Amino acid sequence: MGRMRKKADLPEKMCPVCDRPFAWRKKWEKVWDEVKYCSDRCRREAKKRA
């Protein structure tokens, strides 16, 4: 189990919609650089604002 990381060691980003930090998730492993929003709700809100 050498690949396991502590949750506190995972990278984080700030969501531009809700201004809260969110941490890396396994499902974002291949697209982490493209992830901008913490949730589907924030992604929808960003589209409404544009």
Side-chain angles (χ1 to χ4, degrees):
M1 296 195 124
R3 290 184 52 199
M4 293 201 52
R5 298 172 108 181
K6 292 181 182 176
K7 196 167 189 172
D9 295 337
L10 296 175
E12 288 188 347
K13 290 184 178 179
M14 292 294 290
C15 177
V17 175
C18 65
D19 292 327
R20 288 189 276 180
F22 62 99
W24 182 92
R25 295 182 186 173
K26 177 69 175 172
K27 70 178 184 179
W28 293 331
E29 185 175 28
K30 294 179 182 173
V31 293
W32 177 242
D33 291 337
E34 301 166 15
V35 174
K36 294 180 183 174
Y37 307 107
C38 63
S39 64
D40 289 339
R41 181 180 177 184
C42 283
R43 187 162 30 100
R44 283 193 306 266
E45 285 295 319
K47 284 184 180 180
K48 285 182 186 176
R49 291 181 185 181

